[in-house]
Amino acid sequence: MGILSNLVLILIIALVLFGVTLPVWYVLWLANKTRDWYKKATPEERRKMKKAVQISASMK
C-alpha cells in the first residue's frame, strides 16, 4: 500500500507543477509570437498596436 500512495502523491505533485508551469509557458510563447509579429509589422501597424496598448492600460 505504501508504494501505491507514494505514486499517487508523486502524480498529484506532478499535476500541480504542470498546472503551475503551463500558463507560464503559454505567456512566454505568446510574448515570443507577439515579438515576431512586431518585427514583421509595418510602422502603421506598430502605431495602431501602441495605441491599443495605451487604451487597454488606461482602462485598467
Side-chain angles (χ1 to χ4, degrees), residues 30-58:
L30 206 64
N32 205 22
K33 292 287 271 186
T34 307
R35 200 179 66 213
D36 287 349
W37 178 84
Y38 191 80
K39 280 180 188 168
K40 290 176 195 158
T42 61
E44 185 60 36
E45 285 174 321
R46 288 181 187 184
R47 265 199 297 278
K48 284 180 188 169
M49 193 178 174
K50 279 182 185 164
K51 195 169 273 188
V53 168
Q54 285 170 353
I55 289 168
S56 68
S58 65

Side-chain angles (χ1 to χ4, degrees), residues 6-31:
N6 280 355
L7 280 174
V8 170
L9 194 67
I10 289 167
L11 192 69
I12 290 169
I13 291 169
L15 281 173
V16 168
L17 285 174
F18 185 70
V20 168
T21 55
L22 198 64
V24 174
W25 284 119
Y26 179 70
V27 166
L28 286 174
W29 175 81
L30 206 64

